[in-house]
Amino acid sequence: MTACLSKERLKIGLVSVSDRASQGVYADQGIPELQQWLEKALVEPFELETRLIPDEQPIIEQTLIELADQHQCHLVLTTGGTGPAKRDVTPDATLAVADREMPGFGEQMRQVSLHFVPTAILSRQVGAIRNQSLILNLPGQPKAIKETLEGVKDENGKTLVRGIFSAVPYCLQLLSEIYIDTNPTVCESFRPKSARKNEK
């Protein structure tokens, strides 16, 4: 059976959670890093909704609800606020507004990051679904954002451990029937043959 596909344009919400960046103490690096990576990784055009907010759980919750419900973003990526510190409440806010948790995303992010730093075990990143939106918590550092999305690669660029974005296109297809693909030189997406275009 051929997959039922939507021609709707992909809409992505980017949320940078940082007290100091939101106060203008320093320039936010999370949203620019995410935008640059998405422009390289995604084949299809997409729309962005961006938010720079402080580490306040009610504000994070309100922002995620707005992006998922009002703007109907297919994908919402947060950056920052995922550690064990008292002000790190992004995962708590994500789970508070979620309909369902997607634990595999958090598990894989930590698995990837452990190849680079032992402190990856301190991360509380989660993946969750609200309505038809996939919400993923990413690290706050630009280098770590790229690593968790792309995975672990050797010196020749061969992927040793897949990053989380390999599974994102198929997950979005299951949630809302939107079909997107990635540039395999950046991150190769995976979906069953029955879910691929022009294949049965």
Side-chain angles (χ1 to χ4, degrees):
M1 183 177 177
T2 305
C4 178
L5 307 174
S6 168
K7 294 182 180 179
E8 188 179 0
R9 177 177 287 204
L10 176 66
K11 195 163 191 179
I12 304 174
L14 303 181
V15 183
S16 186
V17 183
S18 169
D19 284 332
R20 287 179 290 176
S22 65
Q23 294 167 2
V25 176
Y26 57 70
D28 173 60
Q29 294 181 312
I31 290 174
E33 173 65 26
L34 280 169
Q35 183 170 348
Q36 289 173 20
W37 189 88
L38 290 166
E39 287 170 352
K40 294 176 184 176
L42 289 171
V43 174
E44 290 83 8
F46 57 90
E47 299 176 23
L48 286 180
E49 285 285 339
T50 63
R51 302 288 187 274
L52 176 57
I53 58 175
D55 292 276
E56 297 286 350
Q57 185 166 338
I59 296 175
I60 301 170
E61 290 181 18
Q62 180 183 357
T63 301
L64 296 178
I65 291 171
E66 176 196 347
L67 293 173
D69 297 5
Q70 296 174 27
H71 292 282
Q72 298 181 329
C73 292
H74 301 93
L75 176 65
V76 178
L77 301 175
T78 73
T79 172
T82 59
K86 192 174 182 179
R87 295 286 293 174
D88 291 334
V89 293
T90 303
D92 309 273
T94 301
L95 293 176
V97 302
D99 297 325
R100 292 180 287 170
E101 186 178 0
M102 296 288 286
F105 283 106
E107 293 165 5
Q108 188 64 10
M109 279 189 271
R110 284 180 282 277
Q111 177 63 31
V112 168
S113 295
L114 279 168
H115 283 79
F116 301 99
V117 290
T119 50
I121 59 173
L122 302 179
S123 170
R124 300 190 302 117
Q125 293 147 294
V126 299
I129 293 168
R130 179 181 174 87
N131 294 333
Q132 291 184 312
S133 299
L134 175 63
I135 304 172
L136 300 175
N137 300 154
L138 298 174
Q141 296 300 317
K143 181 174 179 290
I145 291 172
K146 183 174 182 290
E147 290 166 353
T148 54
L149 291 171
E150 286 187 24
V152 182
K153 299 181 179 181
D154 65 15
E155 60 274 8
N156 298 316
K158 180 182 177 182
T159 300
L160 302 176
V161 180
R162 285 183 183 267
I164 63 164
F165 211 86
S166 292
V168 168
Y170 183 49
C171 184
L172 298 184
Q173 185 176 339
L174 292 171
L175 284 174
S176 59
E177 297 180 350
I178 191 168
Y179 194 98
I180 64 167
D181 216 338
T182 56
N183 180 345
T185 62
V186 178
C187 173
E188 188 172 6
S189 59
F190 178 84
R191 52 170 54 91
K193 284 187 179 181
S194 61
R196 297 174 192 168
K197 277 184 177 178
N198 305 319
E199 292 196 41
K200 294 183 179 180

